[in-house]
Amino acid sequence: MSAPQKMGALTALIEGGLNPGHMMPGTGATSIDATVNMTRHAIQHRCAGVLMLPPFYYKDVTDDGLFAYFSEVIQKVGDAALQIYIYNIPPVTKINLSLSLLERLTKEYPKTVVGMKDSSGDWAYTESVIKLLTFPSFFTCNQRESSCYQHLLSSC
């Protein structure tokens, strides 16, 4: 779907009665402008947060490049209501989000970069994120239900 189609679908769902406070639309795109537009749209509709992929079109992006991408999106959106949950899905994006990148983002934007959905399938990585970035200031969600018990124990 294109960015306008995604924004139209979000609007239709909300107009259809779904509570935007329970929604976290995916706004990551290959273009900063598309990401910014979809993110602003979600904020204008008072969505709980956004799920943001890294710029997956480009491969072998450095941590500095990834930081610059997220930082530019945050600056261009320019809204204190922005809550980003970074979507880590390296089997699809071919981008591995380093712990140092996540730590840098959360230190620079502690009220904006508030969580991550980890679909890496690598429990050791997920656990290291949980241990580094403490709940409740940073929430990490793992894709595998089988890891829920481990996740809860690591968060304690």
Side-chain angles (χ1 to χ4, degrees):
M1 292 176 75
S2 69
Q5 289 171 320
K6 289 178 182 180
M7 291 186 292
L10 177 62
T11 299
L13 289 169
I14 293 167
E15 288 175 353
L18 291 180
N19 181 348
H22 297 156
M23 300 172 98
M24 190 183 307
T27 62
T30 55
S31 135
I32 288 176
D33 288 341
T35 301
V36 167
N37 290 336
M38 288 188 291
T39 301
R40 282 183 180 149
H41 187 75
I43 292 169
Q44 289 165 355
H45 281 78
R46 294 183 173 86
C47 290
V50 297
L51 190 61
M52 194 175 293
L53 289 163
F56 54 90
Y57 181 80
Y58 301 99
K59 305 304 177 227
D60 300 319
V61 181
T62 65
D63 278 2
D64 285 340
L66 292 169
F67 181 85
Y69 171 83
F70 287 111
S71 183
E72 187 167 345
V73 169
I74 292 165
Q75 297 303 316
K76 284 187 171 188
V77 169
D79 194 315
L82 176 58
Q83 300 275 282
I84 295 175
Y85 294 82
I86 295 175
Y87 192 6
N88 184 45
I89 184 167
V92 174
T93 64
K94 305 298 183 218
I95 293 174
N96 293 306
L97 300 174
S98 73
L99 295 176
S100 60
L101 171 65
L102 295 172
E103 184 174 38
R104 185 175 169 196
L105 285 166
T106 58
K107 283 185 178 178
E108 185 71 26
Y109 304 104
K111 295 181 190 270
T112 302
V113 179
V114 297
M116 179 177 77
K117 177 180 180 186
D118 181 35
S119 296
S120 67
D122 179 357
W123 172 250
Y125 172 80
T126 305
E127 186 174 34
S128 64
V129 172
I130 292 167
K131 288 181 178 177
L132 178 69
L133 304 171
T134 309
F135 180 81
S137 60
F138 191 85
F139 177 76
T140 306
C141 175
N142 186 280
Q143 74 168 15
R144 296 176 185 248
E145 291 175 7
S146 62
S147 300
C148 286
Y149 182 69
Q150 286 176 302
H151 190 142
L152 287 171
L153 291 176
S154 295
S155 298
C156 296

